[in-house]
Every structure is written in C-alpha cells, then in structure tokens.
C-alpha cells in the first residue's frame, strides 16, 4: 500500500469490515469517516490499517482486533483468552430476569464466565442479586474483572471445584458444548478451544454441571444452560434424574438453544 490514499479510497474498496477497521486505525467514529472522507492517511496510519486488514482477511474476528464486543446493553472487553459473546447468549439473561424480581435477595452463579458477560449483565440489571462467577482460566478472570466495577465474587474454579458448601438460587452457564469434530471449529480457530469443545459429543461439561448442580442449589433452585441445537433431547434425559419443570427455549433462528430446569 503506497501513495496518497484517502479514507474514501479505502471505503470504496471491497474489503471485509473496512469501515470498522478505518475507525480503529484512525481512532475515529464511523460518522467522522464520512465527513472527513478526503483525509489523506499518514504513513503510520496506513501501516496500522494495513496490519488490521491483513489480520481480518486471515480470519481474525473483528472483536479481537478492536478488543471489545457489545452484549445486551453493555460493551465488554474481550481477548483471545475469552470467547466472543454471541447474541444467542442474551437469551439466558432474558430468562434469568423473568425468574426472579430485580430487588429479590438471591444468590446467582455464572459458571465459566469468560469475559463476564452473563454475570455482569445480571449484576447491572438486578442490583439486589448476589452474583458470583467462576472460570478455570486466570486470563479470562482478569478480563472479566476489568469489565465491571460491580461487587461480583469471582472464583478461579473449574465448574464447582472451589464452591464447596456454597448454594445458589440460580446456576447459569454457557459452557463449551461443541463436539471434538464439529465442522464449525475451523471458522472458530481464533477463539479458545477450551471454551468451545467438550469431548466427543460436546456434552462432557454439561454432564458434569448437571450431575453436580443439585448439591449447589437451594430448595427450588434453577439451572439454566446454553447448549447446541442438537443436544436438547439428551440434556432433558440427563436432567430428568434430579430436575423437574424442564423448559427448552429457542434462539432467534428458531433453534433449541437454552434449557431451564428446577431442582427436585
Ligand atoms: N456458541 C458457540 C458457537 O456456536 C459454541 C460454544 C459456546 O458458546 N459455548 O460458536
């Protein structure tokens, strides 16, 4: 890339996410790009933009280039140590806030919090809920802590490992749930594999959570899980051993995505 290139020159090229990449390289808002479209980029800006274009073309998700991603009503820092929050996961928030009133004094835990989206969004929406969150990745926990000033109890814990003796009214989780050989994985190679894959059938972690959850739930407490669109039947069977009132919810594409159950 050489010569005197303007914002407009780039905007008229057919490059993936070019508008957003320009906002990053120039530190400007999208609207500014259009009003200053004749601006000639400095060599430093060109170099930065070129690096971003290359990384994006190699498949690096935009959220890892910008370091942030919107979720529900908030913006979250993300890094390659955390999954990039998906819109499907917002369904967990809607269901959770329908279960209890925002001013109820309840205990909630988000298992495998990653960048903290579930725990932090709930803490923002429901000021009286006492919220805890776990992750087995120290790097992820660092990001989650940076994403909030709310009083959330963070545990460096693999599922329930560090929670002995604690009980909750709601356990919520978006665990890894892809099978080892899932064809999606090729397009997800920039995201942490331990946040995506869970054994041969993608159910190893969900099985562990369902088996252990009853010990950590208060009477009548709920378990709320995200899962893949092909796992609903098997998960219902696993839940039936210790749970009642099992309800499945569909995502915006009409696919089974979330399951709610109440401990027996
Ligand atoms: N939702 C991820 C995806 O489909 C899968 C893993 C997860 O979120 N737990 O890309």
């Amino acid at each position: 890339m050489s010569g005197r290139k303007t914002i407009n020159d780039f905007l008229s090229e057919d490059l993936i996410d070019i508008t957003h990449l320009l906002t990053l390289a120039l530190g400007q808002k999208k609207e500014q790009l259009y009003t200053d479209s004749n601006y000639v980029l400095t060599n430093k800006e060109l170099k930065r933009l070129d690096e971003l274009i290359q990384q994006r073309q190699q498949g690096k998700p935009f959220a890892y280039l910008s370091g942030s991603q919107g979720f529900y009503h908030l913006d979250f820092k993300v890094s390659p140590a955390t999954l990039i929050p998906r819109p499907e996961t917002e369904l967990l928030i809607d269901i959770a806030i329908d279960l209890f009133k925002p001013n109820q004094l309840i205990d909630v835990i988000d298992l495998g919090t990653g960048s903290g989206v579930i725990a932090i969004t709930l803490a923002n929406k429901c000021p009286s809920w006492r919220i805890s969150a776990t992750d087995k990745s120290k790097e992820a926990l660092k990001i989650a802590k940076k994403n909030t000033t709310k009083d959330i109890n963070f545990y460096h814990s693999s599922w329930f490992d560090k929670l002995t003796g604690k009980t909750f009214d709601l356990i919520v989780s978006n665990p890894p749930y892809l099978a080892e050989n899932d064809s999606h994985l090729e397009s997800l190679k920039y995201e942490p594999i331990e946040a995506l894959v869970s054994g041969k059938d993608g159910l190893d972690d969900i099985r562990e959570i369902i088996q252990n959850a009853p010990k950590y739930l208060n009477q009548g407490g709920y378990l709320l899980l995200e899962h893949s669109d092909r796992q609903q039947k098997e998960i219902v069977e696993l839940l039936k051993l210790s749970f009642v009132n099992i309800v499945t919810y569909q995502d915006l594409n009409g696919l089974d995505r979330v399951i709610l159950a109440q401990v027996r």
Side-chain angles (χ1 to χ4, degrees):
M1 223 171 279
S2 64
R4 290 167 55 79
K5 289 194 94 172
T6 64
I7 290 178
N8 214 8
D9 290 333
F10 284 101
L11 286 175
S12 54
E13 280 183 54
D14 187 19
L15 295 165
I16 182 163
D17 283 342
I18 187 63
T19 312
H20 292 113
L21 297 175
L22 277 163
T23 65
L24 282 189
L26 301 176
Q28 289 188 352
K29 292 213 162 60
K30 212 163 128 187
E31 306 77 63
Q32 264 175 297
L33 296 180
Y34 297 110
T35 45
D36 297 342
S37 64
N38 290 323
Y39 173 80
V40 178
L41 277 76
T42 65
N43 283 338
K44 207 173 152 197
E45 287 163 347
L46 276 177
K47 189 164 173 276
R48 173 84 184 117
L49 181 62
D50 194 29
E51 282 165 9
L52 290 167
I53 291 171
Q54 281 190 29
Q55 291 185 72
R56 188 67 192 95
Q57 287 186 338
Q58 281 160 13
K60 189 160 185 172
F62 181 77
Y64 288 154
L65 296 174
S66 66
S68 73
Q69 173 76 27
F71 179 84
Y72 222 90
H73 62 310
L74 298 167
D75 222 15
F76 289 86
K77 291 186 195 357
V78 295
S79 86
T82 69
L83 203 68
I84 299 166
R86 311 285 202 269
E88 291 90 305
T89 305
E90 295 178 344
L91 189 53
L92 292 171
I93 306 295
D94 292 329
I95 298 165
I97 58 186
D98 272 353
L99 281 175
F100 300 95
K101 299 201 170 63
N103 58 352
Q104 249 174 295
L105 290 174
I106 57 158
D107 292 288
V108 177
I109 190 154
D110 172 19
L111 299 177
T113 195
S115 59
V117 285
I118 299 172
I120 295 167
T121 306
L122 291 177
N124 271 271
K125 298 223 92 149
C126 306
S128 297
W129 294 12
R130 290 179 295 253
I131 303 207
S132 304
T134 72
D135 209 284
K136 68 172 183 182
S137 156
K138 277 191 180 163
E139 285 307 306
L141 284 176
K142 266 190 217 160
I143 303 280
K145 285 177 190 170
K146 279 190 198 161
N147 274 326
T148 191
T149 51
K150 298 272 173 200
D151 186 18
I152 293 175
N153 301 312
F154 286 102
Y155 295 93
H156 181 217
S157 172
S158 176
W159 305 132
F160 297 99
D161 277 4
K162 301 282 156 56
L163 302 177
T164 311
K166 301 195 166 40
T167 55
F168 304 90
D169 301 290
L170 170 64
I171 297 172
V172 55
S173 182
N174 172 22
Y177 54 67
L178 299 182
E180 271 162 13
N181 61 358
D182 191 302
S183 55
H184 281 84
L185 286 168
E186 176 56 24
S187 62
L188 301 173
K189 61 178 182 239
Y190 285 88
E191 296 187 72
I193 187 117
E194 61 278 17
L196 292 167
V197 170
S198 189
K200 273 205 171 62
D201 60 356
L203 283 169
D204 282 4
D205 291 292
I206 287 180
R207 269 189 288 267
E208 187 173 335
I209 293 171
I210 291 176
Q211 260 164 33
N212 288 289
K215 274 195 295 240
Y216 298 88
L217 282 170
N218 291 330
Q219 198 180 359
Y222 293 92
L223 175 62
L224 179 61
L225 295 174
E226 184 173 323
H227 58 77
S228 97
D229 56 343
R230 292 174 301 262
Q231 295 169 329
Q232 191 265 358
K233 282 201 178 68
E234 279 157 285
I235 296 177
V236 168
E237 287 311 309
L238 293 167
L239 285 166
K240 273 182 182 168
L241 289 175
S242 325
F243 291 85
V244 291
N245 301 329
I246 303 169
V247 188
T248 298
Y249 296 81
Q250 281 83 36
D251 64 18
L252 292 172
N253 297 315
L255 301 171
D256 291 341
R257 181 65 58 198
V258 168
I259 202 153
L260 173 70
Q262 195 168 23
V263 73
R264 204 200 303 269

